[in-house]
Amino acid sequence: MFDDRSSSALRVAVSGLAARQTAIANNIANIETPGYRARKVKFEEALSSAVAHGRSPSEVTPSVLSSMEPTRLNGNNVNLDSETLQHIDTTMRYQLTIRALDGKYNSLREAIKGA
């Protein structure tokens, strides 16, 4: 039950979203650091592909890439507006994913109680 495909996909999503939250926090913390390149975390495409092609979602790991967005004069390319919106989106996705995972575990808990 803990290793079914949907539970595994949800756990990978939680891990990827947590990595994205960390990257966003680092980006915002370094907004004035000369030469700092914003980091972006990608995992959704790989996760979707794994599920669609019958591979185990647990094989998917988030990729951390440097942003190729244009830089300011100091070489920094962190955009506070973009990071703020990405933070809000990531937080909402994280909460939904946790709720889905919690629902799966609650169903298992109820099944065990009823047995």
Side-chain angles (χ1 to χ4, degrees):
M1 177 71 179
F2 294 114
D3 286 334
D4 66 291
R5 188 164 284 154
S6 63
S7 292
S8 181
L10 288 169
R11 285 192 302 272
V12 168
V14 165
S15 175
L17 292 166
R20 183 171 292 148
Q21 286 176 326
T22 299
I24 292 167
N26 287 334
N27 290 344
I28 292 171
N30 285 288
I31 198 163
E32 294 297 329
T33 304
Y36 181 83
R37 306 288 257 158
R39 290 177 177 79
K40 305 292 180 194
V41 174
K42 306 285 184 192
F43 68 92
E44 290 93 344
E45 267 185 37
L47 181 56
S48 178
S49 177
V51 170
H53 293 96
R55 295 189 314 270
S56 172
S58 62
E59 296 172 7
V60 175
T61 56
S63 301
V64 180
L65 311 166
S66 290
S67 173
M68 299 308 292
E69 297 291 320
T71 61
R72 295 189 302 275
L73 292 177
N74 68 357
N76 186 306
N77 69 346
V78 177
N79 179 318
L80 184 58
D81 292 338
S82 174
E83 296 297 328
T84 301
L85 290 173
Q86 189 70 16
H87 170 68
I88 292 166
D89 179 71
T90 301
T91 299
M92 290 172 54
R93 289 175 188 263
Y94 186 87
Q95 289 172 347
L96 286 170
T97 305
I98 290 293
R99 283 185 186 167
L101 200 51
D102 190 45
K104 288 191 70 63
Y105 291 139
N106 280 337
S107 296
L108 180 61
R109 201 172 302 126
E110 291 300 317
I112 291 171
K113 279 187 203 176

